[in-house]
Amino acid sequence: MSGGIIKVSRNTDNAPKSELSTQSVAFSHYNNISAQLPVDPKTGEIIVGGVKEQATQCLTNIKAIVESIDHVMDDVVKINVFVKNIADLDAVNEAYAAFFQEYFPTRTCVAVSALPMSDALVQMDALISNGEGTYPQDPCELIKLARNTERAPKGELSTHTVAFSHYNNLSAQLPIDPQTGALVTGGVKEQAAQCLTNIKAVLESIDVPFDDIVKTTIYVKDLASIDEVNEVYTTFFPDSAIARTVAYVPARSTVVAADLPMDALVQIDVVVSHGDGTPPQEVEDRHGIVIRANNTDSAPLNALYTQTVAFSHYNHIAAQLPIDLASQGLVAGGAKEQAEQCLTHIRSIVESIGHVMDDVVKINVQLRDMADFDALNEVYPSFFEKELPARTVIGVADIPMGAAVQIDAVISNGEGTPPQV
């Protein structure tokens, strides 16, 4: 099946459309949903009401997209919730619970500095399972495995880990002691260690090694604390002798949040390779698929992440800053030039592994000033020839190196990784 799977990009009139993204981009056994603002698709305006009503509209838009491609909300495996005020999470949760019947997907909640429409109080994006696959795969009745463990903090509105096919998404882990339900004592180092300990406990509960993580996203409240977080992070990666031999570390993004639940200093979520797949895939194939990590000198290198980590039919690209390779400083110019540089780095990485930008299924953008949204959009479409990928844009409190923009990506990987063919 090398290179033969086809990306399926779709829009529906029942949800807000954008000239700069596609609502739903399916590839293989997953489907990426663009971030949904609380916009009435008929008027194109933010709905009237408070954050609860806005959260309902975001989820209604997601539901409309999901149903337009013959899926249901219980096919959702991951939801990201971005609020302007962390205190609004209780109201968001009131609306949220009504949209899921059988189980709650994995979830990450974070307060952001701004959203693309100034009157928006909340925005959500989603990842859904896609059992039918995309052409020329044959439809299959894969089973979603949703699991919790007593060894990590539980959330009433999320599941610790949801596996489907060859990927597994974990809910964001806060620095909570699972025994007490409270934040651990200490500063950001202790909190980062607890987040990663909770992630490790979840993975061990489903017999998955820590080095099966392919992408990590670290949310911090203060960019100045990232060195302390990294000090702890490097004690968890690489975890195994094999990973240490090849110096494997996953792709990574660092996002500076305006606030985090429970007033935490750090929160971490991960995406995990799942070699054994989910039934009816053969259990004896467990860990048979190879993680393929790759770096290129054509984009900035960093000892804390791998630029691109492929597993099965997806490939995760680490967050790219607008770094000039010659000077190792920020590229000259404003937000437009910086956005162009970030996307140029992503393209260099994508092309270094024999892919093209139209293989991208999802783009995540962080802006330090939402006033730069138009500058981003000026250069963004020029990097794609066909349908634009799904996209999420948020405003953040800060970005490493004082950059105006940072961008990461997920790309389709039609050739798969060995031993798949």
Side-chain angles (χ1 to χ4, degrees):
M1 197 185 293
S2 179
I5 302 173
I6 294 173
K7 186 174 73 174
V8 180
S9 304
R10 290 170 286 193
N11 289 305
T12 173
D13 291 334
N14 296 326
K17 290 182 178 178
S18 169
E19 294 180 355
L20 294 160
S21 64
T22 303
Q23 291 168 350
S24 159
V25 181
F27 185 81
S28 188
H29 290 131
Y30 278 92
N31 200 317
N32 296 265
I33 309 294
S34 284
Q36 294 300 303
L37 287 159
V39 171
D40 182 333
K42 294 177 181 175
T43 66
E45 302 291 333
I46 299 286
I47 61 151
V48 175
V51 69
K52 182 178 178 181
E53 290 76 17
Q54 289 199 15
T56 298
Q57 187 64 52
C58 293
L59 288 159
T60 298
N61 291 340
I62 289 173
K63 186 177 182 182
I65 296 167
V66 167
E67 291 179 346
S68 75
I69 54 175
D70 297 323
H71 281 263
V72 296
M73 286 295 278
D74 282 319
D75 290 336
V76 174
V77 297
K78 177 71 188 287
I79 291 268
N80 291 307
V81 179
F82 305 102
V83 291
K84 291 266 283 288
N85 187 338
I86 204 71
D88 286 338
L89 271 182
D90 287 343
V92 169
N93 288 341
E94 282 183 48
Y96 187 87
F99 282 82
F100 301 95
Q101 305 303 316
E102 295 180 9
Y103 90 115
F104 289 111
T106 61
R107 190 172 79 155
T108 294
C109 297
V110 60
V112 296
S113 299
L115 293 169
M117 297 179 75
S118 59
D119 291 336
L121 302 173
V122 59
Q123 174 180 257
M124 301 184 202
D125 67 16
L127 178 69
I128 73 169
S129 58
N130 190 48
E132 66 271 25
T134 54
Y135 184 84
Q137 289 174 320
D138 293 324
C140 56
E141 294 297 326
L142 294 181
I143 295 172
K144 185 173 58 185
L145 296 180
R147 292 169 285 189
N148 287 304
T149 174
E150 298 295 333
R151 296 172 55 196
K154 288 184 179 178
E156 292 182 359
L157 295 173
S158 63
T159 302
H160 279 148
T161 164
V162 179
F164 187 79
S165 187
H166 290 300
Y167 273 90
N168 198 322
N169 288 267
L170 268 62
S171 286
Q173 291 300 305
L174 287 160
I176 296 171
D177 181 332
Q179 301 300 316
T180 65
L183 293 183
V184 295
T185 56
V188 70
K189 283 179 69 172
E190 291 77 13
Q191 290 198 12
Q194 188 64 52
C195 292
L196 290 162
T197 297
N198 291 342
I199 288 169
K200 195 165 191 177
V202 173
L203 294 181
E204 288 176 348
S205 75
I206 57 172
D207 196 25
V208 172
F210 204 69
D211 284 317
D212 280 0
I213 293 171
V214 295
K215 172 70 190 297
T216 301
T217 303
I218 300 174
Y219 299 92
V220 291
K221 283 212 302 193
D222 183 355
L223 185 57
S225 69
I226 196 62
D227 287 343
E228 291 181 274
V229 172
N230 289 338
E231 194 178 330
V232 174
Y233 189 82
T234 54
T235 68
F236 281 80
F237 296 101
D239 184 59
S240 66
I242 293 173
R244 284 192 291 273
T245 299
V246 296
Y248 172 72
V249 284
R252 193 176 93 159
S253 297
T254 299
V255 179
V256 183
D259 209 347
L260 294 169
M262 298 181 68
D263 200 30
L265 302 175
V266 60
Q267 176 179 250
I268 303 175
D269 72 14
V270 298
V271 181
V272 183
S273 61
H274 192 63
D276 42 345
T278 56
Q281 289 169 326
E282 295 293 334
V283 174
E284 57 261 34
D285 284 344
R286 177 165 177 72
H287 302 309
I289 302 176
V290 174
I291 292 175
R292 180 173 281 158
N294 191 70
N295 287 307
T296 173
D297 292 334
S298 299
L301 298 166
N302 191 305
L304 293 167
Y305 65 72
T306 303
Q307 291 169 349
T308 165
V309 180
F311 183 80
S312 186
H313 289 131
Y314 275 89
N315 200 318
H316 292 261
I317 310 293
Q320 295 300 302
L321 289 163
I323 295 172
D324 179 277
L325 289 178
S327 69
Q328 290 299 302
L330 294 180
V331 69
K336 181 179 175 181
E337 290 76 16
Q338 290 197 20
E340 186 171 26
Q341 185 66 69
C342 292
L343 289 161
T344 297
H345 289 326
I346 289 173
R347 184 170 61 193
S348 295
I349 294 167
V350 167
E351 291 178 349
S352 76
I353 53 172
H355 281 262
V356 296
M357 284 295 279
D358 283 321
D359 290 338
V360 173
V361 295
K362 178 71 191 294
I363 289 277
N364 298 300
V365 182
Q366 297 102 50
L367 293 173
R368 203 157 51 119
D369 185 346
M370 194 54 73
D372 290 331
F373 189 60
D374 289 343
L376 161 73
N377 292 337
E378 246 184 279
V379 299
Y380 183 80
S382 66
F383 282 81
F384 305 94
E385 294 182 4
K386 299 178 182 177
E387 295 93 344
L388 292 171
R391 190 175 80 159
T392 296
V393 180
I394 58 171
V396 293
D398 204 351
I399 294 177
M401 297 181 68
V405 60
Q406 176 177 248
I407 304 176
D408 67 26
V410 182
I411 74 168
S412 58
N413 191 47
E415 66 271 25
T417 54
Q420 286 189 317
V421 293

